[in-house]
Amino acid sequence: QTPPNVMEVRNVETFYGPIMALRGVSIDVPQGKIVTILGANGAGKTTLMKTVSGALDPEKGTVTFLGERVEGSEPDQMVRRGLAHVPEGREVFPFLSVEENLKLGAYTRRDREIGDDIEMCYQYFPILKERRAQQAGTLSGGQQQMLAIGRGLMARPKLMLLDEPSLGLSPLLVQEIFGIIRRLNEEQGVTMLLVEQNAQIALNTADYGYVLEIGRIVMANDADKLLASQDIQEFYLGGG
Ligand code: ATP
């Protein structure tokens, strides 16, 4: 039995002025799954993230989140509805401490279990506990990426958008962070939409994948089937 979709995108067209960056994109994100969007530079991955998170309005098509139409919503409304956007480029608050950054991730919540969730973040990212009082701007790139994910978790999101978590990290750190992403999905049930240029690690981590080329979805399949596909091998995994 397939779980219900947390998010459904249908025939979305997004423009920058006269430039059509998404040309009728449709994707499903089922509850409890990791879905990845692959694509080369300029394929439209960031545009798709911005369209589903409210930063860009699509000209056409629909975005449904938790059963409600949300296209055209403001980013802040999307956060309150349960969407956590873990941004590209490690956008943590550099002059705040690690722990203050985590607390800010919970700003939409009214309940009092924030302390428990901070401990949960520290359990997944022990280095953040060691550095809890340190200014976030002084962390390494990998640690800042961990903090960005931890901050997203603090919102207890219904859907977490991960934008290129491998960017600028060493292969070893990439393995470590994706291992934790997988564990957060399996152990905490976090549904994730993952945008990645590193097709190998993304398909090893995700359940399902879409390939975006010049604003269109050109392939969609189970991640293991995409990993085995000749086209993916040739164009995205450097094999063939
Ligand atoms: P990258 O991995 O480099 O971020 P991407 O797959 O995320 O690539 P997008 O950034 O979504 O691709 O860009 C999709 C297309 O839209 C590209 O052709 C890009 O040049 C164009 N584009 C992106 N941002 C703008 C903008 N602000 N104004 C005009 N065109 C843009």
Side-chain angles (χ1 to χ4, degrees):
Q1 199 181 336
T2 13
N5 289 325
V6 168
M7 180 169 273
E8 291 176 356
V9 176
R10 291 291 174 270
N11 304 314
V12 155
E13 296 181 1
T14 302
F15 287 75
Y16 296 103
I19 301 163
M20 192 179 190
L22 296 180
R23 302 167 172 260
V25 168
S26 299
I27 64 166
D28 287 343
V29 185
Q31 191 176 352
K33 303 288 182 191
I34 303 180
V35 172
T36 188
I37 312 286
L38 306 175
N41 264 321
K45 302 184 298 298
T46 303
T47 305
L48 179 55
M49 287 299 100
K50 287 184 173 171
T51 302
V52 303
S53 68
L56 286 172
D57 285 346
E59 197 93 353
K60 283 193 183 149
T62 61
V63 180
T64 305
F65 184 48
L66 304 173
E68 287 181 50
R69 293 271 300 271
V70 295
E71 68 275 3
S73 296
E74 295 300 312
D76 185 56
Q77 286 176 284
M78 292 305 295
V79 172
R80 286 172 198 282
R81 286 172 185 272
L83 187 100
H85 192 179
V86 176
E88 183 177 18
R90 338 263 170 270
E91 290 169 35
V92 295
F93 298 105
F95 300 114
L96 297 183
S97 73
V98 166
E99 192 150 307
E100 285 164 341
N101 267 276
L102 289 177
K103 283 182 180 156
L104 277 175
Y107 79 97
T108 58
R109 290 171 47 185
R110 286 160 188 270
D111 57 273
R112 295 169 189 277
E113 288 161 40
I114 287 172
D116 292 351
D117 285 3
I118 288 181
E119 281 312 313
M120 190 262 285
C121 285
Y122 288 157
Q123 191 194 316
Y124 284 93
F125 302 108
I127 189 75
L128 296 183
K129 185 167 193 170
E130 275 174 45
R131 314 229 152 160
R132 64 205 295 168
Q134 195 171 316
Q135 275 195 349
T138 66
L139 298 175
S140 72
Q143 291 160 2
Q144 288 188 28
Q145 182 60 51
M146 292 176 188
L147 181 56
I149 295 171
R151 200 177 61 184
L153 273 180
M154 288 300 296
R156 293 212 181 162
K158 299 287 192 297
L159 175 62
M160 186 181 264
L161 300 184
L162 291 159
D163 202 344
E164 305 252 11
S166 79
L167 204 73
L169 302 185
S170 71
L172 210 65
L173 261 172
V174 169
Q175 289 294 339
E176 186 185 342
I177 286 186
F178 277 79
I180 295 169
I181 287 171
R182 187 76 232 178
R183 280 181 54 213
L184 285 169
N185 169 257
E186 285 171 1
E187 298 168 7
Q188 305 294 328
V190 186
T191 306
M192 305 195 186
L193 181 58
L194 165 68
V195 168
E196 254 303 330
Q197 280 202 46
N198 183 333
Q200 181 82 49
I201 192 82
L203 291 174
N204 274 321
T205 307
D207 299 293
Y208 200 85
Y210 293 91
V211 179
L212 200 53
E213 271 177 18
I214 333 174
R216 282 200 178 83
I217 302 286
V218 294
M219 254 189 276
N221 212 335
D222 293 336
D224 54 349
K225 298 205 177 89
L226 286 177
L227 255 182
S229 112
Q230 194 67 42
D231 285 345
I232 295 281
Q233 290 281 339
E234 217 166 300
F235 296 113
Y236 293 96
L237 300 173

